[in-house]
């Protein structure tokens, strides 16, 4: 049987085209493989930000002790509306709560930025006794009181409590190095000294 030259040419052209497609496919796969390899070897993004270093042990101790100190003051302030009808005391207690609750959040944020554990409301820290803290018997006696007796106990205890906070803040100013912690200490000293003067006047 005789095969025309035209048919032979057509078959050869088709074979050549098929071969070219196979080669192209291999080349594309090689390129994709290279891209995948390149992508997998890229460095992973960095993890959590590095903790700050602009603080010392005195800053950490101050913050970790001041948190439960503030927490007790807030607890005492919350007792006033249900135990007293003294309008001046009600206003003072609201002021104490409004000032110290946000400072507790500030303390938490600062300690986290230092890479330190979250503060707790326990009665002590690392073997330290916090000045001005009420013991459980004193808190129970305060909760059991009412009227003028409650007012007298609350004012007497809060004066002692504030005096302790001022002493802790003064230690921070003398020994700490972190600017934000020291600014908080200054704020505590200014506000609580003023409240101590107010409470002494109310007792008198």
């Amino acid at each position: 049987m005789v095969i025309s030259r035209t048919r032979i040419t057509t078959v050869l052209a088709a074979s050549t085209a098929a071969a070219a497609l196979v080669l192209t496919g291999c080349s594309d796969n090689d390129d994709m493989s290279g891209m995948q390899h390149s992508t997998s070897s890229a460095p992973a993004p960095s993890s959590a930000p590095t903790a700050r270093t602009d603080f010392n042990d005195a800053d950490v101790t101050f913050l970790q002790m001041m948190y439960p100190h503030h927490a007790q003051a807030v607890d005492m302030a919350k007792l006033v509306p249900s135990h007293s009808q003294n309008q001046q005391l009600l206003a003072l207690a609201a002021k104490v709560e409004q000032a110290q609750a946000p400072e507790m959040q500030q303390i938490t944020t600062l300690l986290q930025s230092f890479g330190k554990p979250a503060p707790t409301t326990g009665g002590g820290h690392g073997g330290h006794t916090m000045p001005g803290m009420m013991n459980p018997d004193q808190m129970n006696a305060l909760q059991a009181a009412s009227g003028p007796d409650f007012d007298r106990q609350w004012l007497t205890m809060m004066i002692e409590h504030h005096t302790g906070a001022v002493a802790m803040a003064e230690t921070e100013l003398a020994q700490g190095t972190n600017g934000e912690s020291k600014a908080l200490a200054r704020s505590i000293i200014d506000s609580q000294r003023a409240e101590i003067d107010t409470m002494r006047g109310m007792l008198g």
Side-chain angles (χ1 to χ4, degrees):
M1 181 175 62
V2 179
I3 300 173
S4 67
R5 288 185 178 181
T6 301
R7 187 172 179 181
I8 291 172
T9 302
T10 301
V11 171
L12 289 173
S15 299
T16 302
L21 285 173
V22 171
L23 290 172
T24 301
C26 291
S27 176
D28 289 344
N29 287 339
D30 290 342
D31 290 344
M32 288 299 293
S33 175
M35 289 175 63
Q36 291 169 356
H37 178 73
S38 174
T39 301
S40 65
S41 64
S46 60
S47 56
T50 304
R52 297 166 57 170
T53 58
D54 59 335
F55 64 92
N56 64 9
D57 289 344
D59 298 314
V60 175
T61 297
F62 166 69
L63 295 172
Q64 290 183 336
M65 292 176 67
M66 189 59 75
Y67 186 91
H69 204 275
H70 270 23
Q72 187 177 74
V74 170
D75 288 343
M76 291 172 66
K78 287 180 176 178
L79 288 175
V80 174
S82 60
H83 289 71
S84 175
Q85 289 77 45
N86 184 317
Q87 293 302 310
Q88 191 176 3
L89 185 59
L90 287 164
L92 177 61
K95 183 179 178 182
V96 168
E97 185 174 354
Q98 289 165 5
Q100 298 198 26
E103 287 177 350
M104 290 172 69
Q105 181 56 54
Q106 182 182 355
I107 289 169
T108 299
T109 302
L110 270 173
L111 284 171
Q112 289 174 340
S113 75
F114 295 166
K116 298 299 178 181
T120 66
T121 56
H125 167 68
H128 298 284
T129 300
M130 288 170 285
M133 286 286 281
M134 301 298 110
N135 63 42
D137 289 342
Q138 289 174 302
M139 291 298 291
N140 289 336
L142 183 63
Q143 290 176 5
S146 62
D149 182 47
F150 172 88
D151 298 348
R152 179 187 57 77
Q153 286 191 50
W154 193 94
L155 288 167
T156 302
M157 290 181 183
M158 193 60 83
I159 288 171
E160 183 180 350
H161 203 272
H162 273 23
T163 301
V166 169
M168 291 162 62
E170 288 174 336
T171 299
E172 163 62 13
L173 290 183
Q175 300 178 8
T177 59
N178 179 262
E180 291 166 88
S181 299
K182 294 178 80 166
L184 175 62
R186 291 188 193 96
S187 175
I188 288 170
I189 290 170
D190 292 343
S191 63
Q192 297 201 20
R193 276 180 175 166
E195 289 173 359
I196 287 170
D197 290 342
T198 297
M199 289 186 287
R200 284 175 174 160
M202 292 170 67
L203 273 178

